[in-house]
Amino acid sequence: MSACPSALTAAPPTTNAPLLRAAWVVTAVFILSSAATPLYGHWQQQLGFGAGTLATIFTCYILGLLATLLVAGQLSDHFGRKALLLPGLGLAMGAAVLFQLAESVAVLMLARLLTGVAVGIIVSAGMANVVDQAADSHKRQASLLASVAMVLGAGTGPLLAGVLAQYSAHPVAIVFNLELALLALALWVVLAQPRQPRATSALKLRLPRVPRDSVGHVLRGIAFFGPGITCTSFVLSLGPGLFSAFAHVSSPLIAGGTAFAMFMVGVGVQFAVQRLAVKRIFLLSGLATVLSMATLWLAVHQVSIPCLIVAALLAGAGQGLGQLGGLSLIALHVPANRRAEANGVFNMGGYVPAGALPVVAGHLIDLHGMAVGVSVLAGLIAALALAALLSLGRTDRPR
């Protein structure tokens, strides 16, 4: 298969500094993506909306993310990473300003929509940009760094916001002014990158796809990343409320700390398994996801805080491992000039169930109670992970 001429295939830098700078861009935007989580209680009190409206606000983020993933990878592979990252960071900064100014649900919805668009650009162009900085012999290490950068940002955002919301009278202004400073640093990093020449062929937008001989690798990654990230979304949405109900304590610090611990496990396990074959990484991911859902079910039925904590930690491990395995396969088997598009397909496969299923669970809980809602969705996520594990058993050798 012929590749379009592009500077994306130029010799990568030999030092770690470009890799770390590119990873920082990913982290900064993912801090924004999750910083609002502990602050929704504040906005609910200020604006007077309920759980149904909160689900709609969350849906705006998913819609912005998925719509962007349809085109961001193709645009990045055609025009270059920098051409996409600059407007992506601009939209992220606009979202941070809107969060500060939000005095209505409509403004919050717009802020979340812009955040979803910015994250869609980052998971396509930003994560491909990290891998582009590495030599061919270090693509797996670059995939690890890109994955860790994403998870680190997703965990840091709610912890930072939770601490500030717990101890500050004006947490929204402080959180998002700080995020503006972090995004400004990321913008400086991208501005310092050389601009890549656009591909010589004409751009024809279409539904995102990957090269035919790489489809199996991307689907294998989605099979594990999808249940893993759905698992963390489920635990993230339910965990703080369950903890408050079990312990009879309500605190934004609990919400932020739960998310941080979960995602930090996701970071740690990726470093721990980085030298394992991808097949074994997927095996661990599937097992962690199944065990997380089993433990969450047990936590609800036994009203157990320790089980709830274990479920959150296992969820972080399941997502982190599935994400690392999927990104590693893309780095190893997808050409550089199609890598951002493949990242987009990979993330769409994960975020569709991660966005839809927790909302379904919320409605089930409203209609039939916590035990029924948790049991149905935990069983579904565990079944998806088990199906992925069974398909893994039919492959020949670890890759």
Side-chain angles (χ1 to χ4, degrees):
M1 177 174 295
S2 61
C4 298
S6 169
L8 297 180
T9 57
T14 57
T15 66
N16 289 329
L19 273 169
L20 296 175
R21 289 195 292 265
W24 165 249
V25 176
V26 175
T27 298
V29 174
F30 269 91
I31 290 175
L32 173 71
S33 75
S34 57
T37 300
L39 299 174
Y40 284 125
H42 167 83
W43 283 312
Q44 284 181 296
Q45 290 182 353
Q46 295 292 316
L47 304 177
F49 59 84
T53 300
L54 181 58
T56 302
I57 293 171
F58 178 75
T59 302
C60 289
Y61 169 80
I62 297 297
L63 289 176
L65 172 63
L66 293 177
T68 305
L69 289 174
L70 289 172
V71 298
Q74 298 172 66
L75 294 174
S76 172
D77 287 335
H78 186 85
F79 293 107
R81 313 303 185 214
K82 184 174 182 177
L84 266 289
L85 292 175
L86 289 176
L89 288 169
L91 290 171
M93 296 176 82
V97 172
L98 287 174
F99 276 124
Q100 289 190 62
L101 301 177
E103 294 183 354
S104 69
V105 171
V107 175
L108 276 178
M109 291 171 66
L110 180 58
R112 286 301 282 168
L113 180 69
L114 292 182
T115 302
V117 174
V119 169
I121 290 173
I122 288 300
V123 298
S124 298
M127 299 182 78
N129 188 48
V130 178
V131 178
D132 288 346
Q133 308 305 313
D136 289 341
S137 59
H138 291 85
K139 293 302 184 187
R140 278 198 65 180
Q141 291 88 336
S143 298
L144 170 65
L145 183 59
S147 185
V148 165
M150 173 182 168
V151 178
L152 182 64
T156 301
L159 178 65
L160 176 67
V163 171
L164 293 174
Q166 183 75 25
Y167 299 110
S168 171
H170 306 285
V172 174
I174 296 174
V175 167
F176 291 105
N177 275 324
L178 178 57
E179 176 59 19
L180 279 171
L182 300 178
L183 290 169
L185 180 58
L187 183 62
W188 174 80
V189 167
V190 175
L191 286 170
Q193 284 190 196
R195 184 175 290 276
Q196 300 146 327
R198 57 184 293 173
T200 57
S201 60
L203 174 65
K204 296 180 180 179
L205 290 177
R206 46 174 167 67
L207 290 176
R209 62 190 183 200
V210 295
R212 184 173 301 175
D213 56 358
S214 303
V215 169
H217 299 296
V218 176
L219 290 178
R220 174 55 46 80
I222 290 172
F224 287 91
F225 177 58
I229 195 171
T230 305
C231 186
T232 58
S233 296
F234 189 32
V235 172
L236 194 59
S237 60
L238 282 179
L242 288 175
F243 195 103
S244 298
F246 293 172
H248 307 292
V249 174
S250 180
S251 166
L253 187 57
I254 291 174
T258 300
F260 179 77
M262 180 170 65
F263 286 122
M264 287 309 98
V265 169
V267 170
V269 294
Q270 292 184 61
F271 282 110
V273 304
Q274 61 178 303
R275 297 187 182 278
L276 293 182
V278 174
K279 183 175 180 179
R280 291 194 175 93
I281 293 173
F282 282 144
L283 175 63
L284 294 173
S285 171
L287 290 174
T289 299
V290 171
L291 289 173
S292 173
M293 291 297 90
T295 310
L296 180 63
W297 179 88
L298 187 63
V300 170
H301 286 80
Q302 298 295 322
V303 192
S304 170
I305 291 177
C307 286
L308 183 60
I309 294 171
V310 172
L313 300 181
L314 286 169
Q319 178 190 330
L321 292 166
Q323 180 175 297
L324 174 61
L327 290 175
S328 296
L329 289 183
I330 290 172
L332 292 171
H333 299 289
V334 178
N337 69 315
R338 301 291 300 277
R339 192 171 290 139
E341 189 175 0
N343 281 349
V345 173
F346 173 69
N347 280 281
M348 286 180 69
Y351 277 104
V352 166
L357 293 183
V359 174
V360 172
H363 288 294
L364 282 174
I365 289 170
D366 288 341
L367 292 172
H368 303 290
M370 181 66 71
V372 172
V374 170
S375 297
V376 170
L377 194 61
L380 180 57
I381 295 172
L384 291 173
L386 284 171
L389 287 169
L390 290 174
S391 71
L392 191 67
R394 291 195 293 267
T395 58
D396 294 329
R397 298 178 59 188
R399 294 186 181 273

